[in-house]
Amino acid sequence: MKVVGFAGYSGSGKTTLVERLIPAFRLMGLRVSVVKHAHHRFDIDHVGKDTYRHREAGAFEVVVASDKRLALMREFEQPMQLSVHQLIAELYEGVDWVLVEGFKESDLLKIEVWRAQADKPARYMDDDFIVAIATDSPEQLPHATQRPVLDLNDADAVVNWLTANEARFEYCLETYA
């Protein structure tokens, strides 16, 4: 599998870019998984549903599946911060690309998503794991760079750059086990 991160401040366009990359990869016949960092408590289950009732009864894990979907919910007894590598290890190994949104401090190779209008600092000068910048305002980048500058609004161009450089993004699960 190949893994690439997308890092940037809230409002920079990470989610929109990732959302546009998925169908572009799929048109190439590739399988895509997404790992997303959540900063707050979230729930995908609903009060009254069987799976919710099982979790409320104390189940550590609940797996629910149909012929179209599988979901795993795990309840930690104590607050736990999983690394991006631990989350990637949970994914199906037969996936072609993993798009990681968030985890800007991780040691994954990543594309910085930066918009001048967001009025947030760029990170590429201080993060050696940023291998490219996706922006809608390349002329306003705060510092010159030798890194590729990609059009934030052209998902096909980003996918083409990623696939042309896919060897750089090859991920070995055993390295982080």
Side-chain angles (χ1 to χ4, degrees):
M1 78 176 57
K2 276 84 85 189
V3 177
V4 62
F6 294 87
Y9 289 95
S10 179
S12 63
K14 296 182 306 292
T15 300
T16 300
L17 177 59
V18 168
E19 179 182 37
R20 291 177 179 163
L21 295 177
I22 295 166
F25 275 120
R26 298 278 298 148
L27 281 173
M28 300 172 83
L30 300 174
R31 239 185 218 150
V32 179
S33 291
V34 175
V35 172
K36 167 79 172 108
H37 185 258
H39 290 283
H40 44 78
R41 182 178 167 92
F42 70 96
D43 205 339
I44 62 169
D45 213 356
H46 303 287
V47 174
K49 294 294 184 184
D50 294 348
T51 53
Y52 183 91
R53 293 171 58 194
H54 298 318
R55 285 190 308 134
E56 287 297 305
F60 176 66
E61 291 182 322
V62 176
V63 176
V64 59
S66 71
D67 62 344
K68 299 280 187 191
R69 184 169 298 123
L70 175 142
L72 165 67
M73 291 165 281
R74 184 176 297 153
E75 296 291 319
F76 298 118
E77 287 92 1
Q78 300 292 322
M80 179 175 281
Q81 293 295 321
L82 296 175
S83 75
V84 69
H85 302 291
Q86 289 169 310
L87 295 174
I88 292 168
E90 295 285 335
L91 299 175
Y92 172 65
E93 289 183 37
V95 70
D96 297 299
W97 280 89
V98 177
L99 310 180
V100 177
E101 184 182 334
F103 296 95
K104 65 183 171 206
E105 303 296 331
S106 78
D107 59 355
L108 293 175
L109 295 182
K110 52 195 165 265
I111 295 174
E112 179 172 7
V113 179
W114 185 83
R115 291 180 186 261
Q117 74 181 46
D119 200 32
K120 297 286 187 183
R123 303 184 73 248
Y124 61 89
M125 303 81 59
D126 302 315
D127 186 342
D128 292 335
F129 292 101
I130 293 174
V131 295
I133 300 134
T135 183
D136 59 356
S137 43
E139 69 286 345
Q140 294 181 43
L141 285 171
H143 299 281
T145 183
Q146 297 298 310
R147 294 174 176 93
V149 177
L150 309 170
D151 184 345
L152 177 59
N153 298 311
D154 188 348
D156 290 331
V158 175
V159 166
N160 289 339
W161 183 82
L162 285 167
T163 56
N165 293 280
E166 67 182 19
R168 294 178 72 182
F169 299 99
E170 197 62 48
Y171 188 86
C172 180
L173 289 169
E174 291 77 31
T175 300
Y176 300 100

